[in-house]
Amino acid sequence: MRTIEKRIIVYEYSTIWDLPAAEQKLLMASREAALNSYSPYSKFNVGAAVLLDNNEIITGNNQENAAFSESLCAERVALFYANSCYKDIPVRAIAVTASNSQGITHEPVKPCGSCRQALMETEVRFNQPVRIILEGRNKIQVFDGVDNLLPFAFKPDSLG
Ligand code: THU
């Protein structure tokens, strides 16, 4: 038996103003996107903003359905829309903001497993890490690459 240890790095900031200007702008876009969420069932509004290498920002939000499993998270709505608009432009970063009836969540919202997998595919597709910026009311967490959120991932090379 041997033990394998993997290092996960999370950068924490106490305010949006401690981030570089481009990332502040991206978080503003994810906040705004959350306002247009269609989430009548969970009443949990999530917005995501994707920054592309051409500096374009594409946003999305969670879209729910009375058949709950047909809903889609904000991250994948934004990511797939960005990829469908600009199929050859790499994704540099994604910012996510969530709010409930009390406003922006205290804890930064974490992407679900399916969104982490989709983000991983994006890294493989464009051969570059995606920076993930998650907003909470009192702190912002930044993950420099999906490996920090999804270690030991299933990737195309897993197919053999
Ligand atoms: N949701 C997202 O859009 N992104 C996340 O990172 C977590 C969850 C959505 C799915 C569903 O519409 C609602 O939030 C409650 O789970």
Side-chain angles (χ1 to χ4, degrees), residues 42 44 46 62 64 73-75 109-112:
S42 69
F44 191 66
V46 189
N62 54 330
E64 297 187 347
C73 295
E75 293 89 327
V109 65
K110 304 292 187 298
C112 76

Side-chain angles (χ1 to χ4, degrees), residues 97-112:
T97 305
S99 65
N100 53 29
S101 57
Q102 268 126 60
I104 292 179
T105 54
H106 276 282
E107 272 299 305
V109 65
K110 304 292 187 298
C112 76

